[in-house]
Amino acid sequence: MATTVSIHGMWSTRLAFILAAAGSAVGLGNIWRFPYTAGEYGGGAFVLVYLLCVAGIGIPIMMAEILLGRRGRQSPINTMRTLAEREGKPVAWSLLGWMGILAGFLILSFYSVIAGWTLAYAVRAAGGAFTGIDATASKAMFDGLVGDGERLLAWHTIFMVMTVMVVARGVASGLEQSVKWMMPALFVLLLVMVVYAGWAGDLGAAVRYLFAPDFARLQEKGGEAILSAMGQAFFSLSLGMGAIMVYGSYLRHDASIARSTVMIAATDTTVALLAGLAIFPMVFAHGLEPGSGPGLIFVTLPIAFGEMPGGALFGTLFFALLVVAAWTSSISILEPVSAWLVENRGFSRVRAAIIGGAGAWLLGIVCLLSLNHWSEYEVAGKGVLDLFDYLTANILLPLGGILIAIFAGWVLPRAATLDELGGTDRPGYRLWRFLIRYVAPAAVALVLLNGIGLFKAIGLA
Ligand code: PHE
């Protein structure tokens, strides 16, 4: 029988777990990354593929990740080792945990830089910098920030310190308290933005863009577009690197994993779509380019705030809450490595969080320099920040997802997963098992290999 509690603490209720996991899922991935990635790949068809990936791959893998965490009750590395040992399988399965730690460092490094942009924008909004701003001025303001390495470093540092502080305080007092009221507040504000953008911008164009699939556009970009839609699903749901697994390890045995997962995934997807509906009406009304890249929301939203009544207040609130959303995600990225340092190195939580955060902070400096002083250095046509983003979302997280699916579907005995998922052999369980054994691993592998051009290279496509 699995241990019933984690040494790191436990969520006080199932709701606390759902809020924390939804807090992990909802973040820059939904509001910053989703709109500009959808824009880069042409809108509707990308969104459709993304939704299919969330439902058919993301949900079953999230259930698997939570289930593994809850059975192992330790950091992902030790959870995988324990569970593999228990089944008489190679302890090399703990490599899945190590891969997650690597992905976590890479993600946190650039995530903190982008969260820094958000902090900077909250302050600008409060200072009235958006009043009456037009598209050109907004673009110039964004370029000015991104070009200023010292300022980026300051904001990146502040955000990383915020992240370390929460993780250092631990599960119940640190993680749990911070998500309780901030998530609902962000949701309400996003709704306000959608209503405003729909009224002041071109809602019709936005809805057509996001929801009318244009497969010709998707085909133009080919396998890369499909891989990016799947990568976006992994990134947005926080899957494949152990964040959700470690959160699952603090979940009580009697809480329903399936129901929690559906709520988390539904929240995450709703927020992403709302973000799209808040941003694209303004993009089209102001003749901006949907595919203009990572600056999209930072160029678009100030225009909306600049012209709406009370815009300085709404703008400040919006960017402040976006910081919070990023914060509740970044703590979940730092948690797996911190838990491991506590377990295997005997560190205190405080020390573990500081060491982990310092590593990601150093990597983050390389990311932020790639936007200005070091912008001429590129690997495979990408600067370091873009490269980390691509490597994690499109390669490492899906790889982690495949391994999680194989472990939960093929290595763990049926009885074990059945026990975690409610104990009765209903059609829902059988559907999950089918998806996790066959559909998820095969689909992720195909999309991955096709996306990195393997089939083309060997003449199959
Ligand atoms: N899901 C988070 C977001 O959308 C990012 C994240 C990725 C968090 C991976 C944890 C693990 O912003």
Side-chain angles (χ1 to χ4, degrees):
M1 186 58 214
T3 30
T4 48
V5 290
S6 159
I7 60 161
H8 306 288
M10 297 289 286
W11 304 117
S12 58
T13 59
R14 183 175 80 109
L15 183 66
F17 164 74
I18 292 177
L19 283 173
S24 166
V26 174
L28 295 170
N30 307 60
I31 294 169
W32 160 73
R33 199 176 189 281
F34 172 76
Y36 91 78
T37 313
E40 248 164 28
Y41 292 104
F46 173 94
V47 174
L48 183 67
V49 177
Y50 164 74
L51 293 175
L52 288 174
C53 289
V54 169
I57 299 171
I59 289 183
I61 291 186
M62 184 180 287
M63 288 172 62
E65 228 186 292
I66 299 173
L67 168 170
L68 295 180
R70 189 162 76 177
R71 270 194 109 65
R73 291 268 186 243
Q74 298 155 78
S75 67
I77 293 172
N78 290 324
T79 283
M80 293 309 297
R81 170 175 298 124
T82 311
L83 294 181
E85 263 171 2
R86 215 183 276 159
E87 303 308 328
K89 292 293 187 305
V91 287
W93 275 102
S94 64
L95 281 175
L96 168 60
W98 285 106
M99 215 171 76
I101 301 285
L102 171 67
F105 272 117
L106 297 177
I107 294 175
L108 187 54
S109 69
F110 74 80
Y111 205 82
S112 172
V113 172
I114 312 290
W117 298 359
T118 314
L119 273 168
Y121 267 63
V123 172
R124 286 177 182 196
F130 303 157
T131 316
I133 204 170
D134 64 8
T136 320
S138 184
K139 178 94 184 35
M141 186 197 263
F142 176 70
D143 291 341
L145 172 68
V146 170
D148 186 342
E150 290 69 30
R151 197 171 313 170
L152 292 184
L153 176 62
W155 290 120
H156 164 55
T157 307
I158 293 173
F159 186 79
M160 194 62 82
V161 169
M162 288 164 58
T163 302
V164 167
M165 272 167 38
V166 178
V167 175
R169 291 186 61 191
V171 174
S173 51
L175 310 190
E176 221 180 285
Q177 293 309 320
S178 37
V179 288
K180 262 194 193 141
W181 61 272
M182 297 171 182
M183 298 286 304
L186 178 72
F187 199 81
V188 171
L189 215 71
L190 203 52
L191 280 179
V192 172
M193 289 304 295
V194 172
V195 171
Y196 179 78
W199 172 74
D202 192 343
L203 183 63
V207 170
R208 272 193 306 280
Y209 186 76
L210 282 172
F211 299 110
D214 176 354
F215 289 103
R217 280 217 214 134
L218 194 69
Q219 232 159 15
E220 249 169 59
K221 304 257 187 175
E224 196 201 316
I226 298 177
L227 176 58
S228 296
M230 184 177 80
Q232 174 62 27
F234 273 96
F235 187 86
S236 190
L237 293 169
S238 307
L239 295 178
M241 54 77 63
I244 291 293
M245 193 185 290
V246 82
Y247 275 14
S249 73
Y250 310 144
L251 178 64
R252 287 201 322 237
H253 189 73
D254 55 3
S256 163
I257 289 179
R259 255 182 292 152
S260 310
T261 299
V262 169
M263 287 177 65
I264 296 159
T267 308
D268 187 65
T269 308
T270 310
V271 172
L273 295 177
L274 285 179
L277 287 173
I279 286 151
F280 284 110
M282 300 307 291
V283 168
F284 293 121
H286 291 271
L288 292 162
E289 185 41 59
S292 62
L296 188 64
I297 68 158
F298 294 95
V299 175
T300 310
L301 290 177
I303 304 174
F305 292 127
E307 65 189 23
M308 68 164 74
L313 177 67
F314 281 128
T316 312
L317 266 177
F318 181 87
F319 283 110
L321 287 170
L322 187 51
V323 169
V324 172
W327 197 5
T328 57
S329 300
S330 64
I331 56 181
S332 76
I333 308 175
L334 188 55
E335 180 64 18
V337 74
S338 305
W340 180 79
L341 287 171
V342 170
E343 288 164 9
N344 283 47
R345 292 279 171 271
F347 285 8
S348 67
R349 262 198 91 84
V350 176
R351 183 141 173 246
I354 292 175
I355 302 277
W361 178 77
L362 283 173
L363 268 181
I365 295 178
V366 184
C367 289
L368 68 85
L369 285 172
S370 77
L371 301 170
N372 35 71
H373 298 290
W374 293 355
S375 59
E376 73 267 31
Y377 301 112
E378 294 196 332
V379 186
K382 291 179 173 27
V384 173
L385 193 151
D386 289 347
L387 186 72
F388 283 7
D389 175 296
Y390 182 89
L391 264 183
T392 50
N394 292 4
I395 313 273
L396 287 176
L397 299 185
L399 266 181
I402 294 177
L403 294 176
I404 288 165
I406 293 176
F407 194 87
W410 298 90
V411 176
L412 277 188
R414 192 176 194 279
T417 52
L418 184 60
D419 173 48
E420 288 295 336
L421 296 179
T424 37
D425 193 355
R426 280 186 292 228
Y429 173 77
R430 270 173 255 150
L431 174 63
W432 172 81
R433 194 164 153 85
F434 175 72
L435 291 173
I436 209 71
R437 279 166 76 94
Y438 303 103
V439 178
V444 178
L446 279 176
V447 172
L448 190 57
L449 295 176
N450 184 40
I452 58 176
L454 188 81
F455 298 139
K456 240 194 210 120
I458 58 172
L460 278 178

